[in-house]
Amino acid sequence: MIEVMVNGCSGKMGQIVCDLIEQSSEFILKSGFDRTVTGEFAFPVFDKIENITEKSDVIIDFSVPVATFRILDYAVQNSIPVVIATTGFSKEEEKKIESYSKQIPIFKSANMSYDIMIMKKLVQWLAPLLKDTNIEITETHHNRKIDSPSGTAQMLADTINTSLGHQLYCEYNRHDKREKRNKNEIGMNSIRGGNIVGEHSVQFFGEFETFEVKHTSYSRNVFAEGALKAAKFILNKSNGLYCMEDMCNGDVSFFT
Protein backbone atom coordinates (compact mmCIF):
# COMPACT_ATOMS: atom_id res chain seq x y z
CA MET A 1 0.00 0.00 0.00
CA ILE A 2 1.27 3.46 -0.94
CA GLU A 3 0.85 6.08 1.77
CA VAL A 4 -0.07 9.51 0.40
CA MET A 5 -0.16 13.07 1.70
CA VAL A 6 -2.42 15.45 -0.26
CA ASN A 7 -1.32 19.08 -0.32
CA GLY A 8 -4.38 21.27 -0.83
CA CYS A 9 -6.73 18.66 0.61
CA SER A 10 -9.47 21.23 1.33
CA GLY A 11 -9.67 22.37 -2.31
CA LYS A 12 -12.02 20.91 -4.89
CA MET A 13 -9.34 18.83 -6.63
CA GLY A 14 -7.74 17.88 -3.33
CA GLN A 15 -11.06 16.53 -2.07
CA ILE A 16 -11.52 14.45 -5.22
CA VAL A 17 -8.03 12.96 -4.86
CA CYS A 18 -8.74 12.14 -1.21
CA ASP A 19 -12.02 10.45 -2.14
CA LEU A 20 -10.35 8.30 -4.81
CA ILE A 21 -7.57 7.29 -2.42
CA GLU A 22 -10.09 6.23 0.23
CA GLN A 23 -11.83 4.06 -2.39
CA SER A 24 -8.55 2.55 -3.60
CA SER A 25 -6.97 -0.76 -2.65
CA GLU A 26 -3.51 0.49 -3.65
CA PHE A 27 -3.28 3.72 -1.64
CA ILE A 28 -3.68 4.85 1.96
CA LEU A 29 -4.55 8.47 2.76
CA LYS A 30 -1.87 9.11 5.36
CA SER A 31 -2.50 12.84 5.86
CA GLY A 32 -3.49 16.13 4.31
CA PHE A 33 -2.05 19.62 4.36
CA ASP A 34 -3.79 22.93 3.70
CA ARG A 35 -3.27 26.53 4.77
CA THR A 36 -6.96 26.71 5.73
CA VAL A 37 -8.43 23.67 7.45
CA THR A 38 -12.23 23.72 7.69
CA GLY A 39 -14.64 20.94 8.54
CA GLU A 40 -13.90 17.45 9.81
CA PHE A 41 -11.64 14.88 8.15
CA ALA A 42 -11.31 11.14 8.61
CA PHE A 43 -7.51 11.49 8.40
CA PRO A 44 -4.91 13.80 10.01
CA VAL A 45 -4.84 17.27 8.41
CA PHE A 46 -2.17 19.87 9.16
CA ASP A 47 -1.98 23.61 8.51
CA LYS A 48 1.61 24.09 9.71
CA ILE A 49 4.62 22.26 8.32
CA GLU A 50 6.23 21.90 11.73
CA ASN A 51 3.17 20.03 13.03
CA ILE A 52 3.27 17.25 10.45
CA THR A 53 3.80 13.93 12.22
CA GLU A 54 2.62 11.47 9.56
CA LYS A 55 5.40 10.81 7.03
CA SER A 56 4.06 9.52 3.71
CA ASP A 57 5.61 7.65 0.78
CA VAL A 58 4.61 10.32 -1.74
CA ILE A 59 2.97 13.76 -1.81
CA ILE A 60 0.31 14.80 -4.33
CA ASP A 61 0.06 18.57 -4.72
CA PHE A 62 -3.14 20.23 -5.96
CA SER A 63 -2.78 23.70 -4.45
CA VAL A 64 -1.37 27.12 -5.41
CA PRO A 65 2.28 27.97 -6.20
CA VAL A 66 3.13 29.43 -2.80
CA ALA A 67 1.79 26.29 -1.08
CA THR A 68 3.67 24.06 -3.53
CA PHE A 69 7.02 25.51 -2.50
CA ARG A 70 6.09 25.22 1.16
CA ILE A 71 5.51 21.49 0.75
CA LEU A 72 8.59 21.08 -1.51
CA ASP A 73 10.80 22.33 1.33
CA TYR A 74 9.25 19.72 3.61
CA ALA A 75 9.60 17.01 0.94
CA VAL A 76 13.31 17.71 0.44
CA GLN A 77 13.94 17.64 4.19
CA ASN A 78 12.22 14.24 4.43
CA SER A 79 13.25 12.75 1.05
CA ILE A 80 9.67 12.32 -0.20
CA PRO A 81 8.84 12.30 -3.95
CA VAL A 82 6.22 14.83 -5.08
CA VAL A 83 3.58 14.91 -7.81
CA ILE A 84 2.88 18.54 -8.75
CA ALA A 85 -0.50 19.08 -10.41
CA THR A 86 -0.64 22.78 -9.49
CA THR A 87 -0.46 25.37 -12.29
CA GLY A 88 0.22 29.10 -12.58
CA PHE A 89 3.99 29.06 -11.96
CA SER A 90 6.18 31.86 -13.29
CA LYS A 91 9.28 31.06 -15.36
CA GLU A 92 11.43 31.76 -12.32
CA GLU A 93 9.31 29.37 -10.23
CA GLU A 94 9.60 26.69 -12.93
CA LYS A 95 13.38 26.95 -12.68
CA LYS A 96 13.14 26.72 -8.89
CA ILE A 97 11.13 23.48 -9.17
CA GLU A 98 13.81 22.11 -11.47
CA SER A 99 16.42 22.83 -8.80
CA TYR A 100 14.33 20.96 -6.21
CA SER A 101 14.23 17.95 -8.55
CA LYS A 102 17.98 17.53 -8.14
CA GLN A 103 17.29 16.55 -4.53
CA ILE A 104 14.06 14.50 -4.84
CA PRO A 105 12.03 12.90 -7.65
CA ILE A 106 9.35 15.30 -8.90
CA PHE A 107 6.56 14.53 -11.36
CA LYS A 108 5.08 17.71 -12.82
CA SER A 109 2.41 18.23 -15.45
CA ALA A 110 0.18 21.19 -16.25
CA ASN A 111 -2.54 18.65 -16.96
CA MET A 112 -2.81 15.11 -15.57
CA SER A 113 -5.05 13.88 -18.39
CA TYR A 114 -3.64 11.17 -20.66
CA ASP A 115 -5.67 12.55 -23.58
CA ILE A 116 -4.17 16.02 -23.11
CA MET A 117 -0.74 14.44 -23.42
CA ILE A 118 -1.88 12.93 -26.73
CA MET A 119 -3.15 16.38 -27.79
CA LYS A 120 0.25 17.85 -26.98
CA LYS A 121 1.92 15.23 -29.19
CA LEU A 122 -0.59 15.92 -31.98
CA VAL A 123 0.01 19.68 -32.11
CA GLN A 124 3.77 19.12 -31.89
CA TRP A 125 3.49 16.93 -35.00
CA LEU A 126 0.98 19.16 -36.81
CA ALA A 127 2.62 22.56 -36.33
CA PRO A 128 5.49 22.05 -38.85
CA LEU A 129 2.98 20.67 -41.38
CA LEU A 130 0.78 23.78 -40.94
CA LYS A 131 3.54 26.32 -40.36
CA ASP A 132 2.01 28.94 -42.69
CA THR A 133 -1.28 29.15 -40.78
CA ASN A 134 -2.43 31.51 -38.02
CA ILE A 135 -2.51 29.64 -34.71
CA GLU A 136 -5.06 30.40 -32.01
CA ILE A 137 -5.42 28.65 -28.66
CA THR A 138 -8.66 28.99 -26.68
CA GLU A 139 -9.23 27.59 -23.21
CA THR A 140 -12.45 27.58 -21.20
CA HIS A 141 -12.69 26.94 -17.45
CA HIS A 142 -14.99 27.46 -14.47
CA ASN A 143 -15.34 30.89 -12.90
CA ARG A 144 -13.16 30.00 -9.89
CA LYS A 145 -9.93 29.40 -11.82
CA ILE A 146 -7.46 32.12 -10.87
CA ASP A 147 -4.65 31.72 -13.44
CA SER A 148 -4.99 32.79 -17.06
CA PRO A 149 -4.15 31.40 -19.52
CA SER A 150 -4.35 27.90 -18.12
CA GLY A 151 -1.16 25.95 -17.62
CA THR A 152 -2.36 23.51 -20.26
CA ALA A 153 -2.89 26.26 -22.84
CA GLN A 154 0.58 27.62 -22.15
CA MET A 155 2.03 24.11 -22.41
CA LEU A 156 0.40 23.66 -25.83
CA ALA A 157 1.70 27.04 -27.01
CA ASP A 158 5.23 26.27 -25.81
CA THR A 159 5.10 22.88 -27.53
CA ILE A 160 4.07 24.46 -30.84
CA ASN A 161 6.70 27.17 -30.56
CA THR A 162 9.44 24.64 -29.84
CA SER A 163 8.41 22.49 -32.80
CA LEU A 164 8.71 25.56 -35.05
CA GLY A 165 12.15 26.54 -33.83
CA HIS A 166 11.07 29.21 -31.33
CA GLN A 167 10.02 31.60 -34.09
CA LEU A 168 6.67 32.51 -32.54
CA TYR A 169 5.47 34.45 -29.50
CA CYS A 170 2.28 34.40 -27.45
CA GLU A 171 -0.15 37.31 -27.77
CA TYR A 172 -2.22 37.53 -24.59
CA ASN A 173 -3.97 40.87 -25.09
CA ARG A 174 -5.15 42.48 -28.33
CA HIS A 175 -7.41 44.95 -26.54
CA ASP A 176 -5.04 47.93 -26.80
CA LYS A 177 -3.58 47.06 -30.21
CA ARG A 178 -4.68 48.70 -33.44
CA GLU A 179 -2.81 46.69 -36.03
CA LYS A 180 -3.30 43.57 -38.10
CA ARG A 181 -2.41 40.17 -36.75
CA ASN A 182 1.30 39.35 -36.72
CA LYS A 183 2.04 36.13 -38.60
CA ASN A 184 4.42 35.04 -35.82
CA GLU A 185 1.97 35.25 -32.95
CA ILE A 186 0.05 32.51 -31.20
CA GLY A 187 -3.23 34.01 -30.02
CA MET A 188 -4.05 33.05 -26.43
CA ASN A 189 -7.72 33.32 -25.46
CA SER A 190 -9.25 32.59 -22.03
CA ILE A 191 -12.91 32.15 -21.15
CA ARG A 192 -14.17 31.87 -17.56
CA GLY A 193 -17.71 30.95 -16.60
CA GLY A 194 -20.00 28.59 -14.77
CA ASN A 195 -18.68 25.20 -13.76
CA ILE A 196 -16.81 24.17 -16.94
CA VAL A 197 -14.18 21.59 -15.99
CA GLY A 198 -11.85 22.38 -18.87
CA GLU A 199 -11.80 22.76 -22.64
CA HIS A 200 -8.81 23.43 -24.88
CA SER A 201 -8.82 24.13 -28.59
CA VAL A 202 -5.90 24.72 -30.97
CA GLN A 203 -6.92 26.13 -34.36
CA PHE A 204 -4.70 26.41 -37.42
CA PHE A 205 -6.28 29.04 -39.71
CA GLY A 206 -5.28 28.78 -43.36
CA GLU A 207 -6.40 30.92 -46.29
CA PHE A 208 -9.23 28.59 -47.30
CA GLU A 209 -9.57 26.05 -44.49
CA THR A 210 -9.13 25.58 -40.75
CA PHE A 211 -7.72 22.59 -38.87
CA GLU A 212 -8.79 22.27 -35.22
CA VAL A 213 -7.69 19.98 -32.39
CA LYS A 214 -9.97 20.09 -29.36
CA HIS A 215 -10.16 18.39 -25.98
CA THR A 216 -13.01 18.63 -23.45
CA SER A 217 -12.92 17.37 -19.87
CA TYR A 218 -16.29 16.42 -18.37
CA SER A 219 -15.07 15.30 -14.93
CA ARG A 220 -12.29 16.37 -12.59
CA ASN A 221 -11.79 12.70 -11.74
CA VAL A 222 -9.66 12.46 -14.89
CA PHE A 223 -7.02 14.69 -13.32
CA ALA A 224 -7.19 12.98 -9.93
CA GLU A 225 -6.78 9.53 -11.48
CA GLY A 226 -3.82 10.80 -13.50
CA ALA A 227 -2.20 12.13 -10.34
CA LEU A 228 -2.53 8.74 -8.64
CA LYS A 229 -0.94 7.02 -11.64
CA ALA A 230 1.88 9.57 -11.46
CA ALA A 231 2.31 8.83 -7.72
CA LYS A 232 2.83 5.13 -8.49
CA PHE A 233 5.24 6.01 -11.30
CA ILE A 234 7.42 8.43 -9.30
CA LEU A 235 7.65 6.34 -6.14
CA ASN A 236 10.94 4.52 -6.78
CA LYS A 237 12.49 6.87 -9.33
CA SER A 238 15.86 8.53 -8.94
CA ASN A 239 16.06 12.29 -8.39
CA GLY A 240 14.93 14.32 -11.39
CA LEU A 241 12.01 16.08 -13.06
CA TYR A 242 9.48 13.77 -14.75
CA CYS A 243 6.39 14.45 -16.89
CA MET A 244 3.49 12.70 -18.64
CA GLU A 245 5.66 11.73 -21.60
CA ASP A 246 8.00 9.86 -19.27
CA MET A 247 5.12 7.90 -17.78
CA CYS A 248 3.40 7.13 -21.11
CA ASN A 249 6.33 7.12 -23.53
CA GLY A 250 5.65 3.65 -24.88
CA ASP A 251 2.06 4.55 -25.72
CA VAL A 252 2.97 7.51 -27.96
CA SER A 253 5.96 6.06 -29.83
CA PHE A 254 3.98 6.26 -33.08
CA PHE A 255 4.44 10.05 -33.06
CA THR A 256 8.24 9.75 -33.15
Side-chain angles (χ1 to χ4, degrees), residues 77-95:
Q77 293 170 8
N78 292 274
S79 301
I80 303 174
V82 180
V83 174
I84 299 177
T86 298
T87 61
F89 297 104
S90 66
K91 290 183 178 180
E92 291 74 18
E93 288 171 333
E94 296 279 1
K95 291 178 180 178

Side-chain angles (χ1 to χ4, degrees), residues 149-243:
S150 69
T152 301
Q154 190 64 59
M155 176 186 69
L156 293 170
D158 293 342
T159 297
I160 291 169
N161 195 21
T162 298
S163 71
L164 293 175
H166 299 280
Q167 299 175 13
L168 309 181
Y169 68 93
C170 292
E171 177 57 67
Y172 300 100
N173 181 18
R174 296 192 179 108
H175 180 73
D176 297 322
K177 301 183 72 171
R178 294 293 183 270
E179 58 188 63
K180 68 177 184 179
R181 188 190 198 282
N182 190 302
K183 65 178 182 179
N184 292 325
E185 71 182 50
I186 300 176
M188 303 291 283
N189 311 288
S190 297
I191 299 172
R192 296 289 177 266
N195 197 38
I196 301 296
V197 173
E199 186 173 276
H200 293 85
S201 171
V202 179
Q203 293 172 295
F204 299 87
F205 290 94
E207 189 68 22
F208 302 110
E209 56 189 344
T210 301
F211 196 108
E212 180 177 8
V213 182
K214 184 177 180 180
H215 176 271
T216 303
S217 298
Y218 297 106
S219 171
R220 293 176 178 83
N221 283 39
V222 169
F223 313 125
E225 289 170 354
L228 290 178
K229 290 178 182 177
K232 289 172 60 178
F233 170 82
I234 199 72
L235 194 59
N236 296 311
K237 290 290 184 291
S238 56
N239 295 350
L241 189 59
Y242 300 86
C243 62

